[in-house]
Amino acid sequence: MRAIVFTPAVEGEVYLHGAHVTRWAPRGQRPVLFLSSKSLFAPDKAIRGGVPVIFPWFGPRSDSKPGPMHGFARTVPWTVEETRLRDDGAVEIALALAPDGTARDLGFTDFHLRLRVIFGAVLEMELETRNQAPAPLVYEEALHTYFAISDIRQVAVSGLENTAYIDKTDGFLQKVQGATPLRIAKETDQVHLSTTAACVIHDPEWSRRIIVEKSGSNTTVVWNPWIEKAKTLTDMAPDEWQRMICVETANASRDAVHLAPGATHKMRASIRLA
Ligand code: TA6
């Protein structure tokens, strides 16, 4: 089940499965989000590409309890809370997730998630988490956005210069990014911490820049599987690693969110072309 947006200004698509945005293209532009041609669209699988919603942990579950990679939110059905055509011509869709059997079995019984997506000349996504438990909720989250690019070897990502990051391809060592834009020439899996900066994906081949602004997020993750890792991803075609890069808006690792009883946290990503 999905909602398809088709207006004079924009095309978009979002699945109820995982509240997963799979398409956003301002009119006349190439799609901005990457979507694998081999994505499985299976009930227990995350869609490969678009914007997986990661909650309540990032990567493997840390407290050695059972649970799927990147949490459960991206592989359970969400419900539609609201849809509306805004005065500015953009289409707004709000999806919600309350604890279901899967969440309860994993020990998460008192939360409410809302993903608000605005499909317009700018793609705006807001992930709102409300803690309905009498105790603090500590969680990680991400809008794990896959961007469509011409060629991973031709792009650069600015905005993360001089930031500290965890290098997941090098024993999770803590490193510091150089003073020049990040370029990709091998498997790259970097968790940049304590950064609220906007990032820009520079794609000269397609004569475009993708600007990713954010709020309520202190972590930015950059990922490309490169050749060998891509071979292990059965839901990606062999050459698709060259045409995608993840620049993820997140709160992960030591940036995990500590939410007091009854409190709400909002994390926003705003994506536009320039
Ligand atoms: O965000 C990067 C990452 O954590 C990588 O380590 C890689 O596992 C990627 O997410 C994709 O994870 P997935 O579970 O969607 O295959």
Side-chain angles (χ1 to χ4, degrees), residues 52 54 58 70 141-147 160 168 188-192 199 212 214 217-224 244-251 267 269:
I54 309 299
F58 187 88
H70 283 327
E141 59 184 348
L143 295 169
H144 191 300
T145 312
Y146 288 68
F147 291 98
L160 296 171
K168 292 173 63 175
T188 302
D189 196 348
Q190 302 183 189
V191 181
H192 293 259
C199 287
V212 186
K214 64 175 189 173
S217 159
N218 291 318
T219 309
T220 297
V221 181
V222 178
W223 177 60
N224 181 277
M244 54 69 66
I245 186 170
C246 286
V247 177
E248 306 161 33
T249 302
N251 286 299
M267 179 173 74

PDB file of all heavy atoms in Angstrom, residues 52 54 58 70 141-147 160 168 188-192 199 212 214 217-224 244-251 267 269:
ATOM      1  N   PRO A  52      14.671   4.851   4.430  1.00  0.00           N
ATOM      2  CA  PRO A  52      14.299   3.960   5.547  1.00  0.00           C
ATOM      3  C   PRO A  52      14.225   4.765   6.854  1.00  0.00           C
ATOM      4  O   PRO A  52      15.074   5.620   7.118  1.00  0.00           O
ATOM      5  CB  PRO A  52      15.439   2.949   5.592  1.00  0.00           C
ATOM      6  CG  PRO A  52      16.073   3.001   4.229  1.00  0.00           C
ATOM      7  CD  PRO A  52      15.922   4.430   3.781  1.00  0.00           C
ATOM      8  N   ILE A  54      14.708   4.660  10.612  1.00  0.00           N
ATOM      9  CA  ILE A  54      15.433   3.816  11.553  1.00  0.00           C
ATOM     10  C   ILE A  54      15.030   4.227  12.976  1.00  0.00           C
ATOM     11  O   ILE A  54      15.165   5.368  13.382  1.00  0.00           O
ATOM     12  CB  ILE A  54      16.956   3.994  11.390  1.00  0.00           C
ATOM     13  CG1 ILE A  54      17.372   3.839   9.917  1.00  0.00           C
ATOM     14  CG2 ILE A  54      17.697   3.037  12.312  1.00  0.00           C
ATOM     15  CD1 ILE A  54      17.078   2.501   9.291  1.00  0.00           C
ATOM     16  N   PHE A  58      20.241   2.046  15.936  1.00  0.00           N
ATOM     17  CA  PHE A  58      20.933   2.214  14.661  1.00  0.00           C
ATOM     18  C   PHE A  58      21.966   1.100  14.528  1.00  0.00           C
ATOM     19  O   PHE A  58      22.761   0.893  15.438  1.00  0.00           O
ATOM     20  CB  PHE A  58      21.634   3.579  14.601  1.00  0.00           C
ATOM     21  CG  PHE A  58      22.223   3.878  13.265  1.00  0.00           C
ATOM     22  CD1 PHE A  58      21.467   4.484  12.276  1.00  0.00           C
ATOM     23  CD2 PHE A  58      23.543   3.534  12.967  1.00  0.00           C
ATOM     24  CE1 PHE A  58      22.005   4.762  11.028  1.00  0.00           C
ATOM     25  CE2 PHE A  58      24.087   3.793  11.721  1.00  0.00           C
ATOM     26  CZ  PHE A  58      23.312   4.400  10.752  1.00  0.00           C
ATOM     27  N   HIS A  70      18.930  -2.142  12.496  1.00  0.00           N
ATOM     28  CA  HIS A  70      18.341  -0.813  12.338  1.00  0.00           C
ATOM     29  C   HIS A  70      16.938  -0.678  12.920  1.00  0.00           C
ATOM     30  O   HIS A  70      16.165   0.208  12.530  1.00  0.00           O
ATOM     31  CB  HIS A  70      18.303  -0.385  10.859  1.00  0.00           C
ATOM     32  CG  HIS A  70      19.628   0.077  10.328  1.00  0.00           C
ATOM     33  ND1 HIS A  70      20.583   0.735  11.076  1.00  0.00           N
ATOM     34  CD2 HIS A  70      20.164  -0.014   9.069  1.00  0.00           C
ATOM     35  CE1 HIS A  70      21.640   1.010  10.314  1.00  0.00           C
ATOM     36  NE2 HIS A  70      21.416   0.570   9.099  1.00  0.00           N
ATOM     37  N   GLU A 141      17.935   7.011  16.131  1.00  0.00           N
ATOM     38  CA  GLU A 141      17.001   7.197  15.018  1.00  0.00           C
ATOM     39  C   GLU A 141      17.779   7.663  13.795  1.00  0.00           C
ATOM     40  O   GLU A 141      18.886   8.242  13.925  1.00  0.00           O
ATOM     41  CB  GLU A 141      15.935   8.244  15.380  1.00  0.00           C
ATOM     42  CG  GLU A 141      16.516   9.597  15.729  1.00  0.00           C
ATOM     43  CD  GLU A 141      15.483  10.615  16.179  1.00  0.00           C
ATOM     44  OE1 GLU A 141      14.267  10.373  16.014  1.00  0.00           O
ATOM     45  OE2 GLU A 141      15.901  11.651  16.739  1.00  0.00           O
ATOM     46  N   ALA A 142      17.182   7.442  12.636  1.00  0.00           N
ATOM     47  CA  ALA A 142      17.798   7.974  11.409  1.00  0.00           C
ATOM     48  C   ALA A 142      16.759   8.031  10.297  1.00  0.00           C
ATOM     49  O   ALA A 142      15.857   7.180  10.235  1.00  0.00           O
ATOM     50  CB  ALA A 142      18.981   7.109  10.961  1.00  0.00           C
ATOM     51  N   LEU A 143      16.896   9.045   9.481  1.00  0.00           N
ATOM     52  CA  LEU A 143      16.279   9.060   8.151  1.00  0.00           C
ATOM     53  C   LEU A 143      17.426   8.669   7.221  1.00  0.00           C
ATOM     54  O   LEU A 143      18.316   9.467   6.928  1.00  0.00           O
ATOM     55  CB  LEU A 143      15.714  10.456   7.842  1.00  0.00           C
ATOM     56  CG  LEU A 143      14.556  10.885   8.755  1.00  0.00           C
ATOM     57  CD1 LEU A 143      14.226  12.366   8.561  1.00  0.00           C
ATOM     58  CD2 LEU A 143      13.328  10.024   8.524  1.00  0.00           C
ATOM     59  N   HIS A 144      17.420   7.387   6.873  1.00  0.00           N
ATOM     60  CA  HIS A 144      18.596   6.734   6.240  1.00  0.00           C
ATOM     61  C   HIS A 144      18.543   6.956   4.709  1.00  0.00           C
ATOM     62  O   HIS A 144      18.423   5.992   3.940  1.00  0.00           O
ATOM     63  CB  HIS A 144      18.511   5.241   6.576  1.00  0.00           C
ATOM     64  CG  HIS A 144      19.717   4.419   6.266  1.00  0.00           C
ATOM     65  ND1 HIS A 144      20.238   4.268   5.015  1.00  0.00           N
ATOM     66  CD2 HIS A 144      20.491   3.639   7.065  1.00  0.00           C
ATOM     67  CE1 HIS A 144      21.270   3.452   5.036  1.00  0.00           C
ATOM     68  NE2 HIS A 144      21.452   3.065   6.276  1.00  0.00           N
ATOM     69  N   THR A 145      18.643   8.178   4.298  1.00  0.00           N
ATOM     70  CA  THR A 145      18.338   8.584   2.924  1.00  0.00           C
ATOM     71  C   THR A 145      19.366   8.128   1.905  1.00  0.00           C
ATOM     72  O   THR A 145      20.573   8.387   2.055  1.00  0.00           O
ATOM     73  CB  THR A 145      18.193  10.111   2.856  1.00  0.00           C
ATOM     74  OG1 THR A 145      17.319  10.534   3.926  1.00  0.00           O
ATOM     75  CG2 THR A 145      17.580  10.553   1.533  1.00  0.00           C
ATOM     76  N   TYR A 146      18.863   7.443   0.862  1.00  0.00           N
ATOM     77  CA  TYR A 146      19.683   7.035  -0.295  1.00  0.00           C
ATOM     78  C   TYR A 146      19.489   8.082  -1.394  1.00  0.00           C
ATOM     79  O   TYR A 146      18.357   8.299  -1.852  1.00  0.00           O
ATOM     80  CB  TYR A 146      19.208   5.695  -0.838  1.00  0.00           C
ATOM     81  CG  TYR A 146      19.498   4.450  -0.033  1.00  0.00           C
ATOM     82  CD1 TYR A 146      18.886   4.211   1.195  1.00  0.00           C
ATOM     83  CD2 TYR A 146      20.360   3.474  -0.518  1.00  0.00           C
ATOM     84  CE1 TYR A 146      19.143   3.052   1.914  1.00  0.00           C
ATOM     85  CE2 TYR A 146      20.614   2.303   0.182  1.00  0.00           C
ATOM     86  CZ  TYR A 146      20.007   2.104   1.401  1.00  0.00           C
ATOM     87  OH  TYR A 146      20.263   0.945   2.107  1.00  0.00           O
ATOM     88  N   PHE A 147      20.565   8.699  -1.831  1.00  0.00           N
ATOM     89  CA  PHE A 147      20.484   9.699  -2.894  1.00  0.00           C
ATOM     90  C   PHE A 147      20.950   9.112  -4.222  1.00  0.00           C
ATOM     91  O   PHE A 147      21.910   8.325  -4.259  1.00  0.00           O
ATOM     92  CB  PHE A 147      21.327  10.921  -2.534  1.00  0.00           C
ATOM     93  CG  PHE A 147      20.764  11.718  -1.389  1.00  0.00           C
ATOM     94  CD1 PHE A 147      21.239  11.544  -0.099  1.00  0.00           C
ATOM     95  CD2 PHE A 147      19.730  12.613  -1.601  1.00  0.00           C
ATOM     96  CE1 PHE A 147      20.701  12.243   0.962  1.00  0.00           C
ATOM     97  CE2 PHE A 147      19.190  13.349  -0.542  1.00  0.00           C
ATOM     98  CZ  PHE A 147      19.671  13.150   0.738  1.00  0.00           C
ATOM     99  N   LEU A 160      30.942  18.237   6.252  1.00  0.00           N
ATOM    100  CA  LEU A 160      31.427  17.401   7.357  1.00  0.00           C
ATOM    101  C   LEU A 160      32.915  17.628   7.641  1.00  0.00           C
ATOM    102  O   LEU A 160      33.514  16.891   8.432  1.00  0.00           O
ATOM    103  CB  LEU A 160      31.171  15.919   7.040  1.00  0.00           C
ATOM    104  CG  LEU A 160      29.693  15.545   6.917  1.00  0.00           C
ATOM    105  CD1 LEU A 160      29.538  14.117   6.394  1.00  0.00           C
ATOM    106  CD2 LEU A 160      28.980  15.697   8.267  1.00  0.00           C
ATOM    107  N   LYS A 168      33.290   2.787  10.532  1.00  0.00           N
ATOM    108  CA  LYS A 168      32.812   1.412  10.706  1.00  0.00           C
ATOM    109  C   LYS A 168      33.541   0.431   9.783  1.00  0.00           C
ATOM    110  O   LYS A 168      33.393  -0.776   9.917  1.00  0.00           O
ATOM    111  CB  LYS A 168      31.295   1.352  10.481  1.00  0.00           C
ATOM    112  CG  LYS A 168      30.502   2.078  11.557  1.00  0.00           C
ATOM    113  CD  LYS A 168      29.012   2.175  11.245  1.00  0.00           C
ATOM    114  CE  LYS A 168      28.329   0.850  11.158  1.00  0.00           C
ATOM    115  NZ  LYS A 168      26.857   0.999  10.963  1.00  0.00           N
ATOM    116  N   THR A 188      32.716   2.962   2.269  1.00  0.00           N
ATOM    117  CA  THR A 188      32.709   4.096   3.200  1.00  0.00           C
ATOM    118  C   THR A 188      31.504   3.978   4.126  1.00  0.00           C
ATOM    119  O   THR A 188      30.385   3.778   3.651  1.00  0.00           O
ATOM    120  CB  THR A 188      32.664   5.424   2.440  1.00  0.00           C
ATOM    121  OG1 THR A 188      33.803   5.496   1.561  1.00  0.00           O
ATOM    122  CG2 THR A 188      32.671   6.613   3.392  1.00  0.00           C
ATOM    123  N   ASP A 189      31.767   4.018   5.441  1.00  0.00           N
ATOM    124  CA  ASP A 189      30.672   3.874   6.411  1.00  0.00           C
ATOM    125  C   ASP A 189      31.071   4.686   7.643  1.00  0.00           C
ATOM    126  O   ASP A 189      31.691   4.203   8.562  1.00  0.00           O
ATOM    127  CB  ASP A 189      30.501   2.391   6.773  1.00  0.00           C
ATOM    128  CG  ASP A 189      29.167   2.128   7.448  1.00  0.00           C
ATOM    129  OD1 ASP A 189      28.485   3.103   7.831  1.00  0.00           O
ATOM    130  OD2 ASP A 189      28.813   0.937   7.580  1.00  0.00           O
ATOM    131  N   GLN A 190      30.743   5.976   7.610  1.00  0.00           N
ATOM    132  CA  GLN A 190      31.238   6.949   8.593  1.00  0.00           C
ATOM    133  C   GLN A 190      30.090   7.559   9.383  1.00  0.00           C
ATOM    134  O   GLN A 190      29.158   8.082   8.788  1.00  0.00           O
ATOM    135  CB  GLN A 190      32.083   8.035   7.903  1.00  0.00           C
ATOM    136  CG  GLN A 190      33.254   7.486   7.143  1.00  0.00           C
ATOM    137  CD  GLN A 190      34.147   8.539   6.505  1.00  0.00           C
ATOM    138  OE1 GLN A 190      35.034   8.201   5.737  1.00  0.00           O
ATOM    139  NE2 GLN A 190      33.960   9.834   6.839  1.00  0.00           N
ATOM    140  N   VAL A 191      30.179   7.464  10.706  1.00  0.00           N
ATOM    141  CA  VAL A 191      29.160   8.031  11.594  1.00  0.00           C
ATOM    142  C   VAL A 191      29.730   9.317  12.181  1.00  0.00           C
ATOM    143  O   VAL A 191      30.541   9.291  13.113  1.00  0.00           O
ATOM    144  CB  VAL A 191      28.778   7.035  12.708  1.00  0.00           C
ATOM    145  CG1 VAL A 191      27.689   7.615  13.622  1.00  0.00           C
ATOM    146  CG2 VAL A 191      28.310   5.712  12.103  1.00  0.00           C
ATOM    147  N   HIS A 192      29.347  10.448  11.620  1.00  0.00           N
ATOM    148  CA  HIS A 192      29.874  11.752  12.060  1.00  0.00           C
ATOM    149  C   HIS A 192      29.045  12.245  13.238  1.00  0.00           C
ATOM    150  O   HIS A 192      27.811  12.331  13.155  1.00  0.00           O
ATOM    151  CB  HIS A 192      29.830  12.747  10.903  1.00  0.00           C
ATOM    152  CG  HIS A 192      30.770  12.403   9.792  1.00  0.00           C
ATOM    153  ND1 HIS A 192      31.984  13.013   9.606  1.00  0.00           N
ATOM    154  CD2 HIS A 192      30.692  11.447   8.827  1.00  0.00           C
ATOM    155  CE1 HIS A 192      32.602  12.475   8.580  1.00  0.00           C
ATOM    156  NE2 HIS A 192      31.838  11.526   8.090  1.00  0.00           N
ATOM    157  N   CYS A 199      24.597  19.344   4.766  1.00  0.00           N
ATOM    158  CA  CYS A 199      25.550  18.729   3.839  1.00  0.00           C
ATOM    159  C   CYS A 199      25.116  19.023   2.406  1.00  0.00           C
ATOM    160  O   CYS A 199      23.922  19.210   2.140  1.00  0.00           O
ATOM    161  CB  CYS A 199      25.599  17.215   4.042  1.00  0.00           C
ATOM    162  SG  CYS A 199      26.449  16.728   5.556  1.00  0.00           S
ATOM    163  N   VAL A 212      21.200  18.989   1.899  1.00  0.00           N
ATOM    164  CA  VAL A 212      20.493  18.267   2.976  1.00  0.00           C
ATOM    165  C   VAL A 212      20.641  19.094   4.259  1.00  0.00           C
ATOM    166  O   VAL A 212      21.705  19.105   4.885  1.00  0.00           O
ATOM    167  CB  VAL A 212      21.083  16.859   3.193  1.00  0.00           C
ATOM    168  CG1 VAL A 212      20.239  16.075   4.213  1.00  0.00           C
ATOM    169  CG2 VAL A 212      21.190  16.098   1.872  1.00  0.00           C
ATOM    170  N   LYS A 214      19.149  20.054   8.183  1.00  0.00           N
ATOM    171  CA  LYS A 214      18.528  19.233   9.223  1.00  0.00           C
ATOM    172  C   LYS A 214      18.370  20.035  10.501  1.00  0.00           C
ATOM    173  O   LYS A 214      19.027  21.059  10.696  1.00  0.00           O
ATOM    174  CB  LYS A 214      19.361  17.967   9.472  1.00  0.00           C
ATOM    175  CG  LYS A 214      20.757  18.225  10.026  1.00  0.00           C
ATOM    176  CD  LYS A 214      21.457  16.920  10.359  1.00  0.00           C
ATOM    177  CE  LYS A 214      22.764  17.145  11.113  1.00  0.00           C
ATOM    178  NZ  LYS A 214      23.362  15.878  11.589  1.00  0.00           N
ATOM    179  N   SER A 217      19.000  16.893  14.933  1.00  0.00           N
ATOM    180  CA  SER A 217      19.893  15.763  14.609  1.00  0.00           C
ATOM    181  C   SER A 217      21.339  16.176  14.869  1.00  0.00           C
ATOM    182  O   SER A 217      21.777  17.233  14.380  1.00  0.00           O
ATOM    183  CB  SER A 217      19.728  15.379  13.132  1.00  0.00           C
ATOM    184  OG  SER A 217      20.868  14.648  12.670  1.00  0.00           O
ATOM    185  N   ASN A 218      22.059  15.326  15.604  1.00  0.00           N
ATOM    186  CA  ASN A 218      23.471  15.620  15.884  1.00  0.00           C
ATOM    187  C   ASN A 218      24.426  14.664  15.173  1.00  0.00           C
ATOM    188  O   ASN A 218      25.656  14.762  15.369  1.00  0.00           O
ATOM    189  CB  ASN A 218      23.716  15.547  17.393  1.00  0.00           C
ATOM    190  CG  ASN A 218      23.033  16.692  18.127  1.00  0.00           C
ATOM    191  OD1 ASN A 218      23.057  17.840  17.661  1.00  0.00           O
ATOM    192  ND2 ASN A 218      22.378  16.391  19.233  1.00  0.00           N
ATOM    193  N   THR A 219      23.863  13.737  14.409  1.00  0.00           N
ATOM    194  CA  THR A 219      24.689  12.737  13.718  1.00  0.00           C
ATOM    195  C   THR A 219      24.382  12.755  12.228  1.00  0.00           C
ATOM    196  O   THR A 219      23.207  12.876  11.836  1.00  0.00           O
ATOM    197  CB  THR A 219      24.360  11.314  14.250  1.00  0.00           C
ATOM    198  OG1 THR A 219      24.410  11.291  15.671  1.00  0.00           O
ATOM    199  CG2 THR A 219      25.299  10.268  13.669  1.00  0.00           C
ATOM    200  N   THR A 220      25.442  12.636  11.426  1.00  0.00           N
ATOM    201  CA  THR A 220      25.258  12.442   9.975  1.00  0.00           C
ATOM    202  C   THR A 220      26.074  11.227   9.581  1.00  0.00           C
ATOM    203  O   THR A 220      27.270  11.132   9.922  1.00  0.00           O
ATOM    204  CB  THR A 220      25.728  13.671   9.182  1.00  0.00           C
ATOM    205  OG1 THR A 220      24.912  14.805   9.536  1.00  0.00           O
ATOM    206  CG2 THR A 220      25.600  13.429   7.679  1.00  0.00           C
ATOM    207  N   VAL A 221      25.430  10.287   8.888  1.00  0.00           N
ATOM    208  CA  VAL A 221      26.116   9.068   8.472  1.00  0.00           C
ATOM    209  C   VAL A 221      26.281   9.092   6.958  1.00  0.00           C
ATOM    210  O   VAL A 221      25.341   9.446   6.228  1.00  0.00           O
ATOM    211  CB  VAL A 221      25.311   7.815   8.885  1.00  0.00           C
ATOM    212  CG1 VAL A 221      26.042   6.537   8.476  1.00  0.00           C
ATOM    213  CG2 VAL A 221      25.045   7.822  10.393  1.00  0.00           C
ATOM    214  N   VAL A 222      27.485   8.737   6.500  1.00  0.00           N
ATOM    215  CA  VAL A 222      27.752   8.654   5.060  1.00  0.00           C
ATOM    216  C   VAL A 222      28.117   7.216   4.740  1.00  0.00           C
ATOM    217  O   VAL A 222      29.003   6.631   5.379  1.00  0.00           O
ATOM    218  CB  VAL A 222      28.903   9.587   4.647  1.00  0.00           C
ATOM    219  CG1 VAL A 222      29.204   9.438   3.145  1.00  0.00           C
ATOM    220  CG2 VAL A 222      28.557  11.039   4.961  1.00  0.00           C
ATOM    221  N   TRP A 223      27.387   6.631   3.752  1.00  0.00           N
ATOM    222  CA  TRP A 223      27.617   5.220   3.449  1.00  0.00           C
ATOM    223  C   TRP A 223      27.564   4.954   1.952  1.00  0.00           C
ATOM    224  O   TRP A 223      26.675   5.470   1.259  1.00  0.00           O
ATOM    225  CB  TRP A 223      26.561   4.327   4.130  1.00  0.00           C
ATOM    226  CG  TRP A 223      26.694   2.865   3.812  1.00  0.00           C
ATOM    227  CD1 TRP A 223      27.772   2.061   4.071  1.00  0.00           C
ATOM    228  CD2 TRP A 223      25.729   2.032   3.142  1.00  0.00           C
ATOM    229  NE1 TRP A 223      27.545   0.779   3.594  1.00  0.00           N
ATOM    230  CE2 TRP A 223      26.299   0.730   3.033  1.00  0.00           C
ATOM    231  CE3 TRP A 223      24.448   2.247   2.647  1.00  0.00           C
ATOM    232  CZ2 TRP A 223      25.613  -0.334   2.444  1.00  0.00           C
ATOM    233  CZ3 TRP A 223      23.759   1.185   2.055  1.00  0.00           C
ATOM    234  CH2 TRP A 223      24.360  -0.094   1.969  1.00  0.00           C
ATOM    235  N   ASN A 224      28.572   4.202   1.499  1.00  0.00           N
ATOM    236  CA  ASN A 224      28.515   3.577   0.178  1.00  0.00           C
ATOM    237  C   ASN A 224      29.194   2.224   0.312  1.00  0.00           C
ATOM    238  O   ASN A 224      30.312   2.132   0.829  1.00  0.00           O
ATOM    239  CB  ASN A 224      29.224   4.426  -0.881  1.00  0.00           C
ATOM    240  CG  ASN A 224      29.136   3.759  -2.253  1.00  0.00           C
ATOM    241  OD1 ASN A 224      29.946   2.878  -2.553  1.00  0.00           O
ATOM    242  ND2 ASN A 224      28.143   4.130  -3.047  1.00  0.00           N
ATOM    243  N   MET A 244      24.617   5.479  -6.079  1.00  0.00           N
ATOM    244  CA  MET A 244      23.919   5.882  -4.852  1.00  0.00           C
ATOM    245  C   MET A 244      24.918   6.326  -3.790  1.00  0.00           C
ATOM    246  O   MET A 244      26.086   5.933  -3.807  1.00  0.00           O
ATOM    247  CB  MET A 244      23.069   4.746  -4.289  1.00  0.00           C
ATOM    248  CG  MET A 244      23.730   3.395  -4.020  1.00  0.00           C
ATOM    249  SD  MET A 244      24.943   3.261  -2.681  1.00  0.00           S
ATOM    250  CE  MET A 244      23.911   3.563  -1.257  1.00  0.00           C
ATOM    251  N   ILE A 245      24.458   7.167  -2.905  1.00  0.00           N
ATOM    252  CA  ILE A 245      25.220   7.508  -1.700  1.00  0.00           C
ATOM    253  C   ILE A 245      24.197   7.801  -0.606  1.00  0.00           C
ATOM    254  O   ILE A 245      23.175   8.460  -0.863  1.00  0.00           O
ATOM    255  CB  ILE A 245      26.173   8.704  -1.909  1.00  0.00           C
ATOM    256  CG1 ILE A 245      27.044   8.915  -0.643  1.00  0.00           C
ATOM    257  CG2 ILE A 245      25.395   9.989  -2.239  1.00  0.00           C
ATOM    258  CD1 ILE A 245      28.180   9.912  -0.850  1.00  0.00           C
ATOM    259  N   CYS A 246      24.452   7.248   0.584  1.00  0.00           N
ATOM    260  CA  CYS A 246      23.585   7.577   1.720  1.00  0.00           C
ATOM    261  C   CYS A 246      24.213   8.725   2.503  1.00  0.00           C
ATOM    262  O   CYS A 246      25.393   8.661   2.858  1.00  0.00           O
ATOM    263  CB  CYS A 246      23.420   6.371   2.643  1.00  0.00           C
ATOM    264  SG  CYS A 246      22.340   5.102   1.979  1.00  0.00           S
ATOM    265  N   VAL A 247      23.441   9.772   2.698  1.00  0.00           N
ATOM    266  CA  VAL A 247      23.797  10.850   3.640  1.00  0.00           C
ATOM    267  C   VAL A 247      22.611  10.907   4.595  1.00  0.00           C
ATOM    268  O   VAL A 247      21.512  11.334   4.210  1.00  0.00           O
ATOM    269  CB  VAL A 247      24.021  12.187   2.929  1.00  0.00           C
ATOM    270  CG1 VAL A 247      24.313  13.304   3.948  1.00  0.00           C
ATOM    271  CG2 VAL A 247      25.181  12.078   1.925  1.00  0.00           C
ATOM    272  N   GLU A 248      22.833  10.401   5.794  1.00  0.00           N
ATOM    273  CA  GLU A 248      21.723  10.085   6.703  1.00  0.00           C
ATOM    274  C   GLU A 248      21.614  11.095   7.850  1.00  0.00           C
ATOM    275  O   GLU A 248      22.628  11.408   8.493  1.00  0.00           O
ATOM    276  CB  GLU A 248      21.922   8.679   7.262  1.00  0.00           C
ATOM    277  CG  GLU A 248      22.109   7.629   6.173  1.00  0.00           C
ATOM    278  CD  GLU A 248      22.744   6.349   6.680  1.00  0.00           C
ATOM    279  OE1 GLU A 248      22.505   5.981   7.849  1.00  0.00           O
ATOM    280  OE2 GLU A 248      23.506   5.730   5.914  1.00  0.00           O
ATOM    281  N   THR A 249      20.420  11.525   8.075  1.00  0.00           N
ATOM    282  CA  THR A 249      20.118  12.462   9.170  1.00  0.00           C
ATOM    283  C   THR A 249      19.764  11.621  10.384  1.00  0.00           C
ATOM    284  O   THR A 249      18.807  10.836  10.332  1.00  0.00           O
ATOM    285  CB  THR A 249      18.939  13.355   8.755  1.00  0.00           C
ATOM    286  OG1 THR A 249      19.289  14.044   7.543  1.00  0.00           O
ATOM    287  CG2 THR A 249      18.591  14.354   9.839  1.00  0.00           C
ATOM    288  N   ALA A 250      20.549  11.738  11.472  1.00  0.00           N
ATOM    289  CA  ALA A 250      20.411  10.723  12.522  1.00  0.00           C
ATOM    290  C   ALA A 250      20.706  11.297  13.914  1.00  0.00           C
ATOM    291  O   ALA A 250      21.145  12.449  14.070  1.00  0.00           O
ATOM    292  CB  ALA A 250      21.371   9.569  12.230  1.00  0.00           C
ATOM    293  N   ASN A 251      20.446  10.471  14.880  1.00  0.00           N
ATOM    294  CA  ASN A 251      20.953  10.618  16.259  1.00  0.00           C
ATOM    295  C   ASN A 251      21.379   9.210  16.662  1.00  0.00           C
ATOM    296  O   ASN A 251      20.514   8.337  16.887  1.00  0.00           O
ATOM    297  CB  ASN A 251      19.880  11.159  17.211  1.00  0.00           C
ATOM    298  CG  ASN A 251      19.625  12.639  16.996  1.00  0.00           C
ATOM    299  OD1 ASN A 251      20.531  13.471  17.146  1.00  0.00           O
ATOM    300  ND2 ASN A 251      18.405  12.982  16.633  1.00  0.00           N
ATOM    301  N   MET A 267      13.000  15.326  14.773  1.00  0.00           N
ATOM    302  CA  MET A 267      14.183  15.372  13.913  1.00  0.00           C
ATOM    303  C   MET A 267      13.699  15.657  12.489  1.00  0.00           C
ATOM    304  O   MET A 267      12.785  14.996  12.003  1.00  0.00           O
ATOM    305  CB  MET A 267      14.939  14.038  13.948  1.00  0.00           C
ATOM    306  CG  MET A 267      16.161  13.990  13.053  1.00  0.00           C
ATOM    307  SD  MET A 267      17.125  12.479  13.270  1.00  0.00           S
ATOM    308  CE  MET A 267      16.060  11.302  12.434  1.00  0.00           C
ATOM    309  N   ALA A 269      14.633  16.624   8.296  1.00  0.00           N
ATOM    310  CA  ALA A 269      15.549  16.723   7.161  1.00  0.00           C
ATOM    311  C   ALA A 269      14.817  17.475   6.061  1.00  0.00           C
ATOM    312  O   ALA A 269      13.632  17.235   5.821  1.00  0.00           O
ATOM    313  CB  ALA A 269      15.969  15.340   6.678  1.00  0.00           C
TER     314      ALA A 269
END
